[in-house]
Amino acid sequence: QVQLVESGGGLVQPGGSLRLSCAVSGTIFGIHNMGWYRQAPGKQRELVADITRGGTINYADSVKGRFTISRDDAKKTVALQIDSLKPEDTAVYYCNVVVSNREYWGQGTQVTVSS
């Protein structure tokens, strides 16, 4: 079975940086899409960034220029480099992958941006 393990969340000050990582375990062949979502209090879950197996990347307008998504197919990982953090980035961040026509989610990791 497929399992997603996330790491890298935490408490940081505005302007700081974090690097989130998601490792996919299990016998998997061909991950179609890997992405990061987030859900802030009082808001719906939203796509932050995703990247296809072909390298096509999409970013939410609110994070363009500050967030960078990358994937390593050999290691079966997807990372999200977050720079210039703002308080409005505070949310639970979820890793998401699509493999074998099925969708999987990580457990979520808390990112809190506060002075």
Side-chain angles (χ1 to χ4, degrees), residues 2-104:
V2 177
Q3 185 176 10
L4 279 56
V5 180
E6 301 171 338
S7 62
L11 173 64
V12 298
Q13 295 185 351
S17 297
L18 283 174
R19 183 176 175 85
L20 308 183
S21 182
C22 175
V24 183
S25 64
T27 303
I28 304 171
F29 301 95
I31 301 176
H32 178 258
N33 194 69
M34 310 182 77
W36 290 93
Y37 292 72
R38 69 185 182 186
Q39 187 167 20
K43 295 185 177 181
Q44 296 188 79
R45 185 173 59 188
E46 65 174 346
L47 173 68
V48 176
D50 66 355
I51 179 170
T52 70
R53 69 174 69 185
T56 301
I57 297 174
N58 295 304
Y59 291 105
D61 288 340
S62 60
V63 308
K64 288 181 179 178
R66 300 187 298 117
F67 289 22
T68 304
I69 189 171
S70 61
R71 63 187 284 171
D72 188 329
D73 290 327
K75 297 180 179 179
K76 298 180 182 178
T77 61
V78 58
L80 186 69
Q81 177 67 40
I82 309 175
D83 299 316
S84 302
L85 277 160
K86 304 175 180 180
E88 52 262 43
D89 294 320
T90 296
V92 178
Y93 285 70
Y94 297 92
C95 180
N96 171 269
V97 303
V98 178
V99 55
S100 299
N101 297 315
R102 295 191 295 272
E103 189 175 50
Y104 299 90

